[in-house]
Amino acid sequence: MHVIALSEATADMVELVGGKAAGLGELIRLGERVPEGFCVTTESHRLGVIPQAEILAVYQRLGAGLVAVRSSATAEDLPDASFAGQQDTFLNVTGANELIAAIRKCWDSLHTARATAYRDARAIDHQAARMAVVVQRMITPAVAGVLFTANPLTGRRDEMAVDAAPGLGSTVVDGATTVDHYVLDGVTRDDTGCLTSAHLAELRTTGERLQVHFGRPQDVEWAIDGDGLLWLLQSRPITSLFPLPPETGKPLPRVYLEFGHVQGMLQPVTPMGMSTLRSQIAAMLASLGVRVEIVDIGGRLYGDLTELARSRSSRKRLVKLLAVDFGPRAQAVMEHVLADPRFAPTTGGAERGAAAGASSLRTAGRAVVGILRALARPDAARIRMFQAIERMRVRSAAPDDLRTTADRLRFLRSQDTEDSADDIMWPIVTGMLAAALPAALLRGVASPDEIHTVLGGMPHNVTIEMDLALWRLARGADEHRQLLLDTPPDELAARYLRGTLPDIGMAGFLDDYGHRGVAEVDLGVPRWVEDPAPVFAAIANYLRVTDPQQGPDRRFHRAAAAAETALDELAARARRRRPVRGTIAGFLLRRARSLAGLREAGKFAGLYPLRENRRQLLLIGADLTAAGLLEQPDDIMFLTLDEAEAAVQSSTDHRATVASRRAVHRRELRRRSVPVALLSDGTDVEAILPSEPARDGTLAGVGASAGRVTGTARVVHDPATAHIEPGEVLVAATTDPGWTPLFLTASALVTETGAIMAHGPTVAREYGIPAVICVPDATRTISTGQLVTVDGGAGTVTVHRPPAHDREDEV
């Protein structure tokens, strides 16, 4: 079948007619007004022969006048790949020769550089892509544009947005003209711009109809002709919207705060990891006297803070509580939410309040005891903490008598949970408080830069100890320097796992730290012991450091010495100017230097049971694969524990479920930004906040580590293969401990999210490198190769020049 009428195209014919033609066929069947036309199918493209006779016969039946010739590829107008503007459209085509030439050009546009790059970014197979071509009678519009059935800027689902301009709609899509922008929220407006209120009402009604039919928000191209008739030229899913929170059935709006960036993780969590993390985070918060439901939105961890926001007692301290771990962006959105009348304090929650109050009193009592013990005897608190972590490591090991999948499931369901939480939690909390409180006590006496200096080079940080251990390993591997520099990290990892790599001490390092990795809190993510490629990439970066003074060990010791000197000077000055406050601040800062480095230890301890749980799950996955219920062992990470148990007990085939979830996970992995906070209607709260006035070449963020450095930017999305030259500025969306080996060769850190006490800034201070966090869209605004100045005191990043042409961003 080489040529078919658009009215014959259906949604299940994408492989034959492409996404655009399939969508137009659906619109015609829905009864919408669509210009008449036909489709040259992918079968013709596959054969490489344009069926001229068939095309010209159908063209004659259209009237042989002006037509629009538009691409309709098989990977176009899909739920997760719009291909907007990536392939060609030709308007006002007339005559047989022009028509055949336009069809040929549409075919050729399948393999343009921009279309190829778009497919690469979405892991779409080039060989499988085929091109159909849509030919339609040309509409001469008086006005044309685009209708979004959900607001693409804010994510709000009960608003529509329209961009319109006189003449051809291509000027709107291409950004070639100034457009009139309308937000349709159900309120009738006076006639303004190029559209009347009647036009807007018709567009809104049409959008509601299309959204109901297609079952998801739509991006609709339309045109209004000289007679005032509305024509639909295309309808495809809006691919950029962040998923909606789950429906709760409650009338008032709800607010959800993103929790993953606290752990330096914006990538989606696997279903098995999500099922584990939701319960763990809720339990951890409950131990602190905070009740929060953890919700899966787009594979990310969001906490439902609605009840806290509407509670008269909790809302008073909510913004302050977000300062330590969540940072200023989260604080700004929550301040906005608390000012929204829809989140005003509610009545009738007395019973919940009483229960929460009792729980809070119990927690407060434990907190007072734990914090006072740690403040009084920090060394003893540290010893108790590491003893508790060692107990956790030992307890996490599976017994030797696990033989069957049923045995392994019982182990996963009923692990020993000896309560060592207080021994681990309160020294960490004490250290964080001791580091955070002096800023207020020393206001007017010490600058943030000085306090950041005091908090640098902090001892007792397990992540720093890991980084320095890897540095020592790299120094000892110098005889294999060229092998480690010239061989790709994944090949080195494969050779190590096969046992064909020279012994550089990797086994010992992985014995101590192999349970770590990027996004390590996700049970579904491989550990370094399974895939050490990121470790080999870090070693190569270390080997590029040729100046001994820039070695991370020396940088760390310099930061520690500078911190002790600054602390002595600051404490003396503070006591002179404010004797009481100065004495307290000095005491707290000294306790911070004893305890704040422990912040990483709690998470480090929790990774031991995760490592063993993952090992047992992979063994269960291997059994299910052998039984034909999964395709491969790690498919089990795309199930929940309940689903895995059902597969074991009832031989449930989960292969289709896993394939569907893997596709969604791959799509979400491509998402470069995640909303800090969402409302239940899909609103990205940060998107509706007033924007700061832009300053030429300067990006504003929050200073999190003192110092000022000018260097070449290196934008990194995946630390597993990142190549960082000594002295480059690391720019990332966020970081977790699995990223920190990169810090050893970087001269400064810039991130889009974070809090001053989060992983990235903490480690930056340890090495004495400047850090600026909470720089919106830093990874898109800054390009690899640009010269930038990072000022940790001012909280700014200044971009000086365009990137060099021979450098590319990391992917």
Side-chain angles (χ1 to χ4, degrees), residues 137-153:
R137 184 169 57 83
M138 188 72 198
I139 299 297
T140 303
V143 61
V146 181
L147 163 70
F148 297 97
T149 67
N151 192 322
L153 300 179

PDB file of all heavy atoms in Angstrom, residues 137-153:
ATOM      1  N   ARG A 137      -4.749  19.641   1.159  1.00  0.00           N
ATOM      2  CA  ARG A 137      -5.181  20.877   0.522  1.00  0.00           C
ATOM      3  C   ARG A 137      -4.753  22.054   1.390  1.00  0.00           C
ATOM      4  O   ARG A 137      -4.943  22.037   2.603  1.00  0.00           O
ATOM      5  CB  ARG A 137      -6.698  20.851   0.324  1.00  0.00           C
ATOM      6  CG  ARG A 137      -7.251  22.051  -0.427  1.00  0.00           C
ATOM      7  CD  ARG A 137      -8.713  21.822  -0.817  1.00  0.00           C
ATOM      8  NE  ARG A 137      -9.546  21.543   0.337  1.00  0.00           N
ATOM      9  CZ  ARG A 137     -10.062  22.478   1.129  1.00  0.00           C
ATOM     10  NH1 ARG A 137      -9.778  23.761   0.915  1.00  0.00           N
ATOM     11  NH2 ARG A 137     -10.840  22.151   2.142  1.00  0.00           N
ATOM     12  N   MET A 138      -4.165  23.042   0.785  1.00  0.00           N
ATOM     13  CA  MET A 138      -3.625  24.182   1.512  1.00  0.00           C
ATOM     14  C   MET A 138      -4.743  25.099   1.985  1.00  0.00           C
ATOM     15  O   MET A 138      -5.611  25.502   1.215  1.00  0.00           O
ATOM     16  CB  MET A 138      -2.665  24.963   0.600  1.00  0.00           C
ATOM     17  CG  MET A 138      -1.894  26.069   1.290  1.00  0.00           C
ATOM     18  SD  MET A 138      -0.622  25.433   2.398  1.00  0.00           S
ATOM     19  CE  MET A 138      -0.338  26.887   3.411  1.00  0.00           C
ATOM     20  N   ILE A 139      -4.734  25.396   3.293  1.00  0.00           N
ATOM     21  CA  ILE A 139      -5.645  26.380   3.864  1.00  0.00           C
ATOM     22  C   ILE A 139      -4.926  27.725   3.889  1.00  0.00           C
ATOM     23  O   ILE A 139      -3.775  27.809   4.320  1.00  0.00           O
ATOM     24  CB  ILE A 139      -6.061  25.983   5.293  1.00  0.00           C
ATOM     25  CG1 ILE A 139      -6.779  24.635   5.285  1.00  0.00           C
ATOM     26  CG2 ILE A 139      -6.919  27.061   5.929  1.00  0.00           C
ATOM     27  CD1 ILE A 139      -8.072  24.655   4.508  1.00  0.00           C
ATOM     28  N   THR A 140      -5.592  28.765   3.429  1.00  0.00           N
ATOM     29  CA  THR A 140      -5.016  30.111   3.501  1.00  0.00           C
ATOM     30  C   THR A 140      -5.571  30.780   4.751  1.00  0.00           C
ATOM     31  O   THR A 140      -6.712  31.254   4.766  1.00  0.00           O
ATOM     32  CB  THR A 140      -5.368  30.934   2.257  1.00  0.00           C
ATOM     33  OG1 THR A 140      -4.920  30.234   1.088  1.00  0.00           O
ATOM     34  CG2 THR A 140      -4.698  32.312   2.317  1.00  0.00           C
ATOM     35  N   PRO A 141      -4.785  30.810   5.809  1.00  0.00           N
ATOM     36  CA  PRO A 141      -5.342  31.279   7.080  1.00  0.00           C
ATOM     37  C   PRO A 141      -5.317  32.797   7.218  1.00  0.00           C
ATOM     38  O   PRO A 141      -4.385  33.469   6.762  1.00  0.00           O
ATOM     39  CB  PRO A 141      -4.419  30.634   8.116  1.00  0.00           C
ATOM     40  CG  PRO A 141      -3.108  30.488   7.413  1.00  0.00           C
ATOM     41  CD  PRO A 141      -3.417  30.290   5.954  1.00  0.00           C
ATOM     42  N   ALA A 142      -6.346  33.300   7.900  1.00  0.00           N
ATOM     43  CA  ALA A 142      -6.307  34.696   8.327  1.00  0.00           C
ATOM     44  C   ALA A 142      -5.477  34.807   9.597  1.00  0.00           C
ATOM     45  O   ALA A 142      -4.784  35.794   9.828  1.00  0.00           O
ATOM     46  CB  ALA A 142      -7.728  35.201   8.567  1.00  0.00           C
ATOM     47  N   VAL A 143      -5.552  33.763  10.420  1.00  0.00           N
ATOM     48  CA  VAL A 143      -4.782  33.701  11.656  1.00  0.00           C
ATOM     49  C   VAL A 143      -4.531  32.228  11.950  1.00  0.00           C
ATOM     50  O   VAL A 143      -5.349  31.364  11.608  1.00  0.00           O
ATOM     51  CB  VAL A 143      -5.528  34.394  12.819  1.00  0.00           C
ATOM     52  CG1 VAL A 143      -6.861  33.731  13.094  1.00  0.00           C
ATOM     53  CG2 VAL A 143      -4.683  34.430  14.082  1.00  0.00           C
ATOM     54  N   ALA A 144      -3.403  31.921  12.546  1.00  0.00           N
ATOM     55  CA  ALA A 144      -3.065  30.527  12.834  1.00  0.00           C
ATOM     56  C   ALA A 144      -2.186  30.471  14.075  1.00  0.00           C
ATOM     57  O   ALA A 144      -1.663  31.487  14.538  1.00  0.00           O
ATOM     58  CB  ALA A 144      -2.344  29.890  11.644  1.00  0.00           C
ATOM     59  N   GLY A 145      -2.024  29.263  14.600  1.00  0.00           N
ATOM     60  CA  GLY A 145      -1.184  29.140  15.786  1.00  0.00           C
ATOM     61  C   GLY A 145      -1.224  27.758  16.395  1.00  0.00           C
ATOM     62  O   GLY A 145      -1.511  26.762  15.717  1.00  0.00           O
ATOM     63  N   VAL A 146      -0.942  27.726  17.686  1.00  0.00           N
ATOM     64  CA  VAL A 146      -0.826  26.471  18.428  1.00  0.00           C
ATOM     65  C   VAL A 146      -1.676  26.578  19.689  1.00  0.00           C
ATOM     66  O   VAL A 146      -1.689  27.617  20.366  1.00  0.00           O
ATOM     67  CB  VAL A 146       0.641  26.192  18.812  1.00  0.00           C
ATOM     68  CG1 VAL A 146       0.746  24.866  19.554  1.00  0.00           C
ATOM     69  CG2 VAL A 146       1.530  26.174  17.580  1.00  0.00           C
ATOM     70  N   LEU A 147      -2.387  25.495  19.999  1.00  0.00           N
ATOM     71  CA  LEU A 147      -3.168  25.373  21.236  1.00  0.00           C
ATOM     72  C   LEU A 147      -2.556  24.267  22.078  1.00  0.00           C
ATOM     73  O   LEU A 147      -2.343  23.158  21.587  1.00  0.00           O
ATOM     74  CB  LEU A 147      -4.624  25.026  20.900  1.00  0.00           C
ATOM     75  CG  LEU A 147      -5.489  24.459  22.042  1.00  0.00           C
ATOM     76  CD1 LEU A 147      -5.782  25.553  23.072  1.00  0.00           C
ATOM     77  CD2 LEU A 147      -6.786  23.874  21.496  1.00  0.00           C
ATOM     78  N   PHE A 148      -2.265  24.574  23.333  1.00  0.00           N
ATOM     79  CA  PHE A 148      -1.815  23.566  24.293  1.00  0.00           C
ATOM     80  C   PHE A 148      -2.962  23.331  25.272  1.00  0.00           C
ATOM     81  O   PHE A 148      -3.419  24.279  25.926  1.00  0.00           O
ATOM     82  CB  PHE A 148      -0.571  24.036  25.049  1.00  0.00           C
ATOM     83  CG  PHE A 148       0.624  24.265  24.171  1.00  0.00           C
ATOM     84  CD1 PHE A 148       0.933  25.545  23.730  1.00  0.00           C
ATOM     85  CD2 PHE A 148       1.436  23.213  23.785  1.00  0.00           C
ATOM     86  CE1 PHE A 148       2.026  25.781  22.922  1.00  0.00           C
ATOM     87  CE2 PHE A 148       2.545  23.432  22.976  1.00  0.00           C
ATOM     88  CZ  PHE A 148       2.837  24.714  22.537  1.00  0.00           C
ATOM     89  N   THR A 149      -3.398  22.093  25.395  1.00  0.00           N
ATOM     90  CA  THR A 149      -4.551  21.834  26.265  1.00  0.00           C
ATOM     91  C   THR A 149      -4.170  21.756  27.741  1.00  0.00           C
ATOM     92  O   THR A 149      -5.037  21.560  28.593  1.00  0.00           O
ATOM     93  CB  THR A 149      -5.282  20.550  25.849  1.00  0.00           C
ATOM     94  OG1 THR A 149      -4.440  19.421  26.093  1.00  0.00           O
ATOM     95  CG2 THR A 149      -5.673  20.593  24.381  1.00  0.00           C
ATOM     96  N   ALA A 150      -2.908  21.890  28.055  1.00  0.00           N
ATOM     97  CA  ALA A 150      -2.432  22.126  29.427  1.00  0.00           C
ATOM     98  C   ALA A 150      -1.365  23.206  29.316  1.00  0.00           C
ATOM     99  O   ALA A 150      -0.701  23.322  28.283  1.00  0.00           O
ATOM    100  CB  ALA A 150      -1.856  20.859  30.044  1.00  0.00           C
ATOM    101  N   ASN A 151      -1.216  24.014  30.358  1.00  0.00           N
ATOM    102  CA  ASN A 151      -0.260  25.114  30.300  1.00  0.00           C
ATOM    103  C   ASN A 151       1.169  24.563  30.298  1.00  0.00           C
ATOM    104  O   ASN A 151       1.622  24.010  31.312  1.00  0.00           O
ATOM    105  CB  ASN A 151      -0.469  26.046  31.498  1.00  0.00           C
ATOM    106  CG  ASN A 151       0.285  27.356  31.346  1.00  0.00           C
ATOM    107  OD1 ASN A 151       1.408  27.386  30.850  1.00  0.00           O
ATOM    108  ND2 ASN A 151      -0.327  28.443  31.769  1.00  0.00           N
ATOM    109  N   PRO A 152       1.909  24.676  29.179  1.00  0.00           N
ATOM    110  CA  PRO A 152       3.239  24.056  29.110  1.00  0.00           C
ATOM    111  C   PRO A 152       4.287  24.778  29.946  1.00  0.00           C
ATOM    112  O   PRO A 152       5.356  24.218  30.208  1.00  0.00           O
ATOM    113  CB  PRO A 152       3.576  24.134  27.616  1.00  0.00           C
ATOM    114  CG  PRO A 152       2.830  25.338  27.135  1.00  0.00           C
ATOM    115  CD  PRO A 152       1.559  25.387  27.938  1.00  0.00           C
ATOM    116  N   LEU A 153       4.015  26.020  30.347  1.00  0.00           N
ATOM    117  CA  LEU A 153       4.983  26.773  31.136  1.00  0.00           C
ATOM    118  C   LEU A 153       4.894  26.438  32.616  1.00  0.00           C
ATOM    119  O   LEU A 153       5.913  26.336  33.306  1.00  0.00           O
ATOM    120  CB  LEU A 153       4.778  28.272  30.931  1.00  0.00           C
ATOM    121  CG  LEU A 153       4.922  28.767  29.485  1.00  0.00           C
ATOM    122  CD1 LEU A 153       4.666  30.265  29.421  1.00  0.00           C
ATOM    123  CD2 LEU A 153       6.301  28.430  28.942  1.00  0.00           C
TER     124      LEU A 153
END
